[in-house]
Amino acid sequence: MSIIIETKNLWKVYDNEGVKTEALRGVSIEIKKGEFVAVMGASGSGKSTLLQILGLLDDHTDGSYFLDGKNVNDYNQQEIAKLRNKKMGFVFQAFNLLPRATVLENVKLPLLYSDVPEKEWDKLARDAVVAVNLEHRMDQEATRLSGGEKQRVAIARALVTNPEVIFADEPTGNLDSKSGQAVIEIIQKLNREMGHTIILITHETYTSEYAERIIRLKDGCIECDDQVKNRRLCCEAFIK
């Protein structure tokens, strides 16, 4: 597999009125296309900062970040925005759905900013909803969904542009254990069956074990980077 994401000696320093905080300190990683990587660490370890930078939502202070072999500093802001929309999908803990919009309408949102012809939007959105097993909720407003269903809509929304990389930031953090397992199994399904590269931010050991590899951060540095020896696999009945 080719490398899709590579960082070399990546630093992120926040400067608040002269007070400097080193959120990332010399982080060097490689992530291959089709990998499922979990990033773990205590609060303040730098894991969310790393996601923001890898997802082109924030700039790094020093070091290098290569996306598909190209230094992201070589892209202008318009190109960065296009890359985020076309190449990346995002799933956040808070769902970030439009409450009075239907499931289908919420899933279509990224297509509004894409170059996909409007005549294709409905099919793409419906296919994404089916992929997360929510076709029976297609026309329901988001306010009428359970927490687990809302997160599955958020996954479908991230999936609708067929991104190469899906970033999931604590996607099970607001869910009960049963709903959380359903969500993480769907995320693993996107990796195993559809080939999406997954970068998962989590503090839950159980959730991280669905990944192939776990990167642990501590005080902005990589503490360890290991393959998962006893990886949890989603049940075949659920996958189908």
Side-chain angles (χ1 to χ4, degrees):
M1 292 184 290
S2 59
I3 295 171
I4 189 170
I5 284 174
E6 181 181 9
T7 70
K8 295 182 179 179
N9 197 31
L10 200 70
W11 284 74
K12 178 63 178 181
V13 180
Y14 293 101
D15 190 338
N16 184 16
E17 297 181 352
V19 178
K20 294 186 177 182
T21 303
E22 297 174 341
L24 294 177
R25 299 189 295 149
V27 171
S28 297
I29 59 173
E30 292 182 356
I31 297 175
K32 296 177 181 178
K33 288 184 179 180
E35 270 197 291
F36 184 170
V37 179
V39 180
M40 299 190 72
S43 178
S45 63
K47 57 186 186 296
S48 291
T49 299
L50 180 61
L51 180 142
Q52 294 279 320
I53 292 172
L54 297 184
L56 302 177
L57 300 170
D58 196 3
D59 298 324
H60 55 283
T61 306
D62 200 0
S64 303
Y65 172 23
F66 298 90
L67 184 62
D68 271 338
K70 184 174 179 179
N71 195 317
V72 298
N73 288 339
D74 293 336
Y75 293 105
N76 61 40
Q77 288 304 309
Q78 186 176 4
E79 290 171 327
I80 290 286
K82 189 172 183 179
L83 276 173
R84 275 199 306 263
N85 180 261
K86 187 173 183 179
K87 199 178 191 71
M88 301 175 176
F90 298 88
V91 181
F92 296 103
Q93 182 176 344
F95 316 137
N96 297 331
L97 302 181
L98 297 179
R100 305 306 302 181
T102 66
V103 167
L104 193 63
E105 289 166 344
N106 269 287
V107 173
K108 283 183 182 179
L109 284 176
L111 297 171
L112 296 174
Y113 308 98
S114 73
D115 53 8
V116 176
E118 188 173 354
K119 64 182 180 180
E120 298 179 18
W121 292 1
D122 195 69
K123 182 182 185 305
L124 289 172
R126 288 180 181 277
D127 288 348
V129 173
V130 170
V132 299
N133 303 327
L134 273 183
E135 54 267 36
H136 60 294
R137 293 290 202 184
M138 194 88 67
D139 299 315
Q140 294 286 322
E141 290 186 351
T143 53
R144 302 183 63 181
L145 304 178
S146 69
E149 289 172 334
K150 289 177 180 177
Q151 193 59 290
R152 285 153 68 184
V153 175
I155 294 171
R157 183 183 57 195
L159 184 63
V160 73
T161 57
N162 193 30
E164 286 191 55
V165 186
I166 295 177
F167 295 94
D169 192 359
E170 300 281 6
T172 62
N174 285 337
L175 305 178
D176 60 71
S177 58
K178 183 177 180 180
S179 297
Q181 181 175 349
V183 164
I184 197 62
E185 289 195 357
I186 285 175
I187 291 173
Q188 190 185 68
K189 172 185 172 182
L190 299 181
N191 171 252
R192 293 179 66 202
E193 294 192 355
M194 301 175 70
H196 295 280
T197 304
I198 307 292
I199 299 176
L200 168 72
I201 303 297
T202 183
H203 67 277
E204 300 167 332
T205 300
Y206 178 88
T207 302
S208 71
E209 290 172 350
Y210 280 86
E212 300 169 282
R213 174 180 160 205
I214 299 175
I215 297 172
R216 296 183 187 273
L217 296 180
K218 183 178 181 180
D219 298 330
C221 300
I222 294 178
E223 185 176 37
C224 62
D225 183 350
D226 299 317
Q227 296 296 123
V228 178
K229 293 181 180 179
N230 297 303
R231 186 185 185 192
R232 296 181 185 273
L233 298 177
C234 43
C235 63
E236 293 302 315
F238 185 84
I239 292 176
K240 295 176 183 178

